[in-house]
Amino acid sequence: MAYQLYRNTTLGNSLQESLDELIQTQQITPQLALQVLLQFDKAINTALANRVRNRVNFKGSLNTYRFCDNVWTFVLNDVEFREVTDLVKVDKVKIVACDGKRASYTCVMILLFDQLLDTPHL
Amino acid sequence: MLSNSNNLSKLYLSVIEDVIENMRELILDEGLEDRVLEVLKQLWESKVMQSNAVDGLALVKNTINSSNFVLQLPPNYGQNFTKPTASMVNPAGQNVQSFTTKNNGGTLATFSLPPGVTYPVQIPAGVTLQTASGQLYKVNVPVMVTQAPAGQCPLPPSQLQPRQRVPVVERRDLCSTSLQPAPVVPSTVPKTMAPLKTEPFTPRPVACPNAVPQTTEQKPLIPLVPLRDEKPVVPQPAVQPTVQGNHVLQSEAPPVQAPFSLHTQMSFQPPYQPPLYKSESPFDSGHFTLDGIDFDSPKPIDMSLTSASTQMQSLQVKMETVLPDGSAFGASKVAAEETVRQEGHGGTADMSTHLEGLPLDASKLEMALLKDYNYNDALADIIQLDGPSDSSSDVEEFEEEMGGAIGENDFLGMMTAEALQALQEAEESSDDGKSSSGDDSVGMDEVTVEEDPLNSGDDVSEQDVPDLFDTNNVIVCQYDKIHRSKNRWKFYLKDGVMCYGGKDYVFSKAVGEAEW
């Protein structure tokens, strides 16, 4: 079971929108859409773990921090993202980070909570 | 960041491929057609491209090594070349590529890609193509060279004339991504130059040449427009349902709005209705007494009633303008209804005195006054007037000072010149005597006004919290370690997808510092 964390990305959101359109036109069932999303979770987690090899540094000021259900949520202001090649400055950024060590256990618990409470974690 | 964008686009493509492939079996198990997967894939890719989150979404589909594409030039550039070679800067990282060009006519120049360069090829803006003979072709607009199905014929020059002027002469201020429509539209046997984002992508490059849909052929015919204009053109099948949905929504909107408008209209009517209705009711009863005087003739009164009420309202407006600081009865600023009631109430006793003083030949005036009396009385029964608007003491003072003059808040059915003068006199005299009560009413208003800002300051501003967390710049990742020392935080993150400035980035490791 992989983190559903990455569904709130450009890739994930565009997939969800596409699935919503297909559901509306009744080309697929909601259950099938859920299966697609689960496959997406696996694929993106695998891809990020295996196919990405770059490093980023950033520096800024911390506005808020939150740690709940083993998920850190930060809001930083005036952040500079520095990669090898370039530098990008952003006035506000939100970081949502799940536990990288106990991935499977934590995400299962989060999934269970989400299903119980019927609330998406993000 | 071109390399990163290329890597990112490859990553996204690979993810899409994996998901689609993994779903293929499940789709077949469900009994659905394979076509659904293709539709999903096209929708997904088009949305990702539309989001512009990935620069230079070079979806490398074709791996054919050698290929030709025709660069169609405007007529004024028609020169005969005999197999010149052109060099161009390949944004994929290879600095110099050699292209062989052929000229099939005055307006066509054919370039062939060397081996190792695969389609699509990005030609960013500002690149100069140089032929062996020294001819320079400058690309003003980023161009994407993609592969078209075999069998396409070059478009006749007549069809391309409107666009031939575009690539060289015009300079379009488009965004810097290469997702731009190609300025020059070649279409020759295997290759066409076409706007990248309008081209669907096939999974297997080997089978591509014949598999690319015919829509590429039509792309050259699309006039050059900014990126946003082309968006509705491409995903037409997908857009239609949503457009229909939008239409449905829009059709639903007016009916929703209509009741509101009606409601608002209706809400304004009642305040103005009661004066008419309520004033009529006492007369409908047919009999009432006023200081021992019996009036028992409703019929002629009805005629003057409506006019009286409207004139009352007009008089009220006049009096409000004349008495800006409020009447002796503490006319509130809120609603006309309240002022009508208050002023009417204040006028009752005045009318009684006035009636005694007026000659009885002004029957209409008396009837109007009586109506006013009853109207005010009826209203007074409904509304409780507070201290400042209590008219009992004021009436007494009026009687003493005026000696029967019309109170300032009287509503007269018939305004005569004498009544107006009396009104003005009453106003002047009332100002002296009623200053205290007026001040009290004003003071009450001031206190209430001051209290609201004071109370509102007690509220905790909760609006900052949702706004604070609602941002487009999001990083979704996993954390290895989060360290804090006093107010210094250190973040050790991994496997993240970032989106800021409208663009996407990924990282395998991220280290950050922040001070809280």
Side-chain angles (χ1 to χ4, degrees), chain A residues 5-6 10-11 14 21 39 51 54-58 60 62 70 81 86 90 92 94 96-98 100-101, chain B residues 1 14 18 22 44 47 467 473 475-479 495 504 506-515:
Chain A
L5 181 71
Y6 301 100
T10 308
L11 203 59
S14 53
E21 285 182 20
Q39 286 295 326
R51 293 182 206 158
N54 63 327
R55 188 185 166 107
V56 170
N57 288 325
F58 62 94
L62 185 63
N70 272 340
F81 288 94
D86 53 3
V90 181
K92 187 167 119 177
K94 178 164 98 169
V96 180
C98 289
K101 290 171 188 173
Chain B
M1 290 288 277
S14 66
D18 289 343
N22 291 337
W44 193 0
K47 284 187 194 296
D467 288 344
N473 305 325
I475 299 176
V476 182
C477 59
Q478 301 176 27
Y479 62 89
D495 296 342
D504 273 11
V506 288
F507 62 84
S508 63
K509 288 236 179 282
V511 179
E513 286 182 0
E515 197 169 310

Side-chain angles (χ1 to χ4, degrees), chain B residues 350 353-354 357 395-406 429:
Chain B
D350 299 327
T353 58
H354 169 67
V395 170
E396 293 172 2
E397 291 177 357
F398 263 121
E399 288 176 357
E400 293 171 2
E401 295 174 3
M402 299 307 153
I406 302 169
S429 57

Side-chain angles (χ1 to χ4, degrees), chain A residues 75-94:
Chain A
V75 175
L76 276 71
N77 290 122
D78 302 325
V79 195
E80 284 185 5
F81 288 94
R82 196 177 292 271
E83 211 163 341
V84 178
T85 50
D86 53 3
L87 171 75
V88 179
K89 292 190 184 180
V90 181
D91 58 350
K92 187 167 119 177
V93 70
K94 178 164 98 169

Side-chain angles (χ1 to χ4, degrees), chain A residues 3 5-6 8-11 14-15 17-19 21-22 25 27-29 32 35-36 39-40 43-45 47-49 51-67 70-76 81 83 85-86 88 90-101 103 122, chain B residues 1 3-4 10-12 14-16 18-19 22-23 26-27 30 32 35-36 39-40 43-45 47-48 51 53 238-239 241-242 465 467-471 473-482 489 491 493-501 504-516:
Chain A
Y3 278 130
L5 181 71
Y6 301 100
N8 190 24
T9 57
T10 308
L11 203 59
S14 53
L15 176 61
E17 288 171 12
S18 308
L19 288 170
E21 285 182 20
L22 291 180
T25 58
Q27 289 180 275
I28 59 171
T29 61
L32 191 65
Q35 292 293 321
V36 174
Q39 286 295 326
F40 169 76
I44 189 74
N45 275 280
L48 284 174
R51 293 182 206 158
V52 182
R53 287 282 177 267
N54 63 327
R55 188 185 166 107
V56 170
N57 288 325
F58 62 94
K59 190 167 184 177
S61 58
L62 185 63
N63 189 314
T64 59
Y65 56 88
R66 175 192 292 163
F67 184 61
N70 272 340
V71 177
W72 277 103
T73 306
F74 305 102
V75 175
L76 276 71
F81 288 94
E83 211 163 341
T85 50
D86 53 3
V88 179
V90 181
D91 58 350
K92 187 167 119 177
V93 70
K94 178 164 98 169
I95 301 179
V96 180
C98 289
D99 193 354
K101 290 171 188 173
L122 284 175
Chain B
M1 290 288 277
S3 60
N4 190 26
K10 287 179 188 173
L11 176 77
Y12 279 8
S14 66
V15 169
I16 294 174
D18 289 343
V19 172
N22 291 337
M23 284 308 300
L26 288 172
I27 288 277
E30 288 271 331
L32 293 173
R35 185 183 57 83
V36 174
V39 170
L40 171 66
L43 277 174
W44 193 0
E45 286 172 349
K47 284 187 194 296
V48 172
S51 67
V239 168
T242 59
V465 176
D467 288 344
L468 191 62
F469 282 91
D470 184 19
T471 174
N473 305 325
V474 185
I475 299 176
V476 182
C477 59
Q478 301 176 27
Y479 62 89
D480 280 330
K481 186 174 181 180
I482 303 292
W489 289 72
F491 314 97
L493 310 171
K494 71 174 186 182
D495 296 342
V497 179
M498 307 186 282
C499 176
Y500 46 77
D504 273 11
Y505 308 86
V506 288
F507 62 84
S508 63
K509 288 236 179 282
V511 179
E513 286 182 0
E515 197 169 310
W516 180 75

